[in-house]
Amino acid sequence: MAVTKKPLIRYKILDSCFRNSFKNYTIGSLLVSVNEKLLELFGDETHCIKLRQLQDDIAFMRSAEGWSIELAEEFDGKKRIYRYEDRNYSINNAPLNDVEMSEFQSAIHVLSQFEGMPQFEGIQEIIAKLKYDLKDKSKTRPFIGFDSFQDLKGIEHFSTLYNAVQNKTPLEITYQDFKSEEPYIFILHPYYLKEYNNRWFLFGLHPESWKHDRNVAIDRIETVSLSNVPFIENELIDWQDYFSDMIGVSKPIDGAIEEVILHFNQLTGRYMENKSIHETQKNNWIDENTFEVRIKVYLNYELERLILSYGESVTVIQPQHLKEKIKNRLLGGLNNY
């Protein structure tokens, strides 16, 4: 029997009813109680069940595939009372059945994909313990792939940065940006970690410039340590809102949000119908060969790189200054050949 989140919730509700020594549940009152709880949890009637489903749920709980529960032979007149034979019994205390075991093992396979990522320190031990406790003897190879970051330069600092953001601890960072010949040191009050295009960036207050959205690329950090200066709280920036008007992580100084219109050819247009490049995106087919995408964003380096990644399949329609910039970059690239 396939088990999903909602059947498991129903089993927990029934378990609570079967353990109740102060109320006599008939099949009718069980159905009412289960549906009332489901309505309370999910807010609509689409998750409520019929009598047949309730009977199937009880049959599953009584089966060896379920928990082999034992119900007392009790009646109120001619109506059957549904209650555990052992009033102290609960499926929460019972050994895992085959279905639960399968669910946990599937979860273990997914968790295993995160081994080695610094924000999941200790997960190897957790996975090993789960496998031992669940007696997972399977040799199943991973069947799901995630972008992997553990080999990226600077990722060894991730745990320090993560904990500093979480615990509101200032940092002393030795940094080597691409413009400077030598590394330099500065204090940063960390506020937010952001991943973009398989790179991690730390945002925070740079007290020397009083810039509250200083952007620090993790792969350019040479060393990082905790600082003893008092932490300055972030009271200016809502980070979810901050990134909502741009692609990537670079917000131009004194920049303004502009409407960008892109025309894609037919083949790429069909792909773009199902792939939004920004939350403000609006689409329509101009004709059978031209798919138009409109977005409202800051114009930055990441936007330019994204447009260039589509090569000859996209044309910038507006704004004109972005169109000229993309054109010049394409011509510059052509000169390399």
Side-chain angles (χ1 to χ4, degrees):
M1 178 176 181
V3 175
T4 63
K5 181 178 180 182
K6 294 175 185 61
L8 287 173
I9 290 174
R10 296 200 303 269
Y11 302 146
K12 299 293 185 182
I13 298 171
L14 288 172
D15 177 69
S16 177
C17 293
F18 295 157
R19 288 187 289 115
N20 192 332
S21 300
F22 304 100
K23 183 173 181 179
N24 294 336
Y25 284 99
T26 64
I27 194 70
S29 58
L30 270 180
L31 183 62
V32 170
S33 294
V34 170
N35 282 334
E36 284 180 347
K37 189 63 176 178
L38 291 172
L39 188 60
E40 177 186 334
L41 289 172
F42 298 105
D44 61 71
E45 296 182 352
T46 59
H47 301 289
C48 293
I49 61 173
K50 304 288 188 182
L51 178 61
R52 177 60 182 273
Q53 181 63 65
L54 176 63
Q55 292 170 330
D56 288 345
D57 287 348
I58 295 172
F60 175 75
M61 293 179 72
R62 300 182 75 170
S63 71
E65 185 184 16
W67 293 270
S68 300
I69 67 170
E70 296 182 2
L71 298 175
E73 291 290 329
E74 297 183 18
F75 293 86
D76 182 3
K78 293 184 178 180
K79 294 182 178 180
R80 170 74 183 271
I81 302 300
Y82 288 81
R83 181 177 288 131
Y84 283 136
E85 182 74 40
D86 179 357
R87 304 297 170 85
N88 296 317
Y89 178 83
S90 171
I91 62 174
N92 294 323
N93 302 325
L96 294 177
N97 60 34
D98 290 342
V99 176
E100 289 176 311
M101 187 79 74
S102 176
E103 294 291 308
F104 270 109
Q105 289 174 351
S106 293
I108 287 172
H109 291 314
V110 173
L111 282 172
S112 297
Q113 310 302 310
F114 293 92
E115 290 187 84
M117 294 181 66
Q119 65 269 46
F120 293 96
E121 285 183 336
I123 199 169
Q124 293 92 337
E125 289 79 8
I126 295 172
I127 293 172
K129 186 177 187 305
L130 282 172
K131 287 183 175 180
Y132 178 80
D133 291 344
L134 297 176
K135 298 180 174 59
D136 181 16
K137 304 299 184 182
S138 68
K139 301 297 182 182
T140 306
R141 294 182 179 180
F143 51 83
I144 182 171
F146 297 89
D147 283 341
S148 179
F149 309 107
Q150 57 262 37
D151 295 328
L152 295 182
K153 184 178 183 296
I155 201 66
E156 67 272 13
H157 303 308
F158 189 96
S159 293
T160 299
L161 304 180
Y162 178 90
N163 291 330
V165 173
Q166 186 177 49
N167 299 318
K168 299 183 178 181
T169 307
L171 297 169
E172 182 177 281
I173 296 173
T174 303
Y175 196 66
Q176 173 72 70
D177 64 38
F178 65 93
K179 296 179 180 178
S180 303
E181 294 183 3
E182 298 293 334
Y184 56 94
I185 299 173
F186 60 90
I187 299 295
L188 189 81
H189 299 260
Y191 296 148
Y192 196 79
L193 280 162
K194 172 73 172 178
E195 185 271 330
Y196 176 72
N197 197 26
N198 284 358
R199 293 182 74 200
W200 281 97
F201 300 85
L202 176 66
F203 288 79
L205 169 64
H206 180 239
E208 291 183 28
S209 62
W210 207 244
K211 182 175 175 59
H212 284 75
D213 60 347
R214 173 65 187 269
N215 179 339
V216 177
I218 290 179
D219 55 19
R220 294 195 173 272
I221 293 177
E222 298 288 335
T223 64
V224 59
S225 60
L226 304 183
S227 172
N228 293 324
V229 302
F231 184 78
I232 301 174
E233 292 278 359
N234 168 39
E235 298 179 351
L236 297 178
I237 300 175
D238 179 327
W239 293 103
Q240 297 299 318
D241 182 63
Y242 179 89
F243 292 105
S244 65
D245 297 321
M246 63 181 180
I247 291 171
V249 295
S250 302
K251 180 165 287 190
I253 299 174
D254 299 325
I257 297 172
E258 300 186 52
E259 183 175 52
V260 177
I261 301 177
L262 306 173
H263 282 184
F264 291 88
N265 64 20
Q266 183 188 55
L267 182 61
T268 306
R270 297 195 181 283
Y271 170 73
M272 298 303 297
E273 279 187 295
N274 299 312
K275 179 178 173 57
S276 175
I277 60 176
H278 192 261
E279 60 188 65
T280 61
Q281 180 168 320
K282 294 182 179 179
N283 309 327
N284 68 285
W285 284 95
I286 300 299
D287 54 47
E288 64 179 11
N289 295 313
T290 307
F291 185 71
E292 183 176 272
V293 169
R294 292 172 177 257
I295 58 176
K296 293 182 178 181
V297 293
Y298 288 97
L299 307 189
N300 60 7
Y301 176 73
E302 291 95 324
L303 173 64
E304 294 175 24
R305 290 294 298 268
L306 178 64
I307 294 171
L308 290 167
S309 72
Y310 290 104
E312 75 284 0
S313 64
V314 64
T315 303
V316 178
I317 304 302
Q318 77 170 49
Q320 184 63 33
H321 59 101
L322 176 62
K323 182 175 183 177
E324 291 297 325
K325 183 174 286 189
I326 295 298
K327 176 183 176 181
N328 290 334
R329 291 187 66 173
L330 288 170
L331 290 174
L334 183 61
N335 290 335
N336 291 332
Y337 298 93

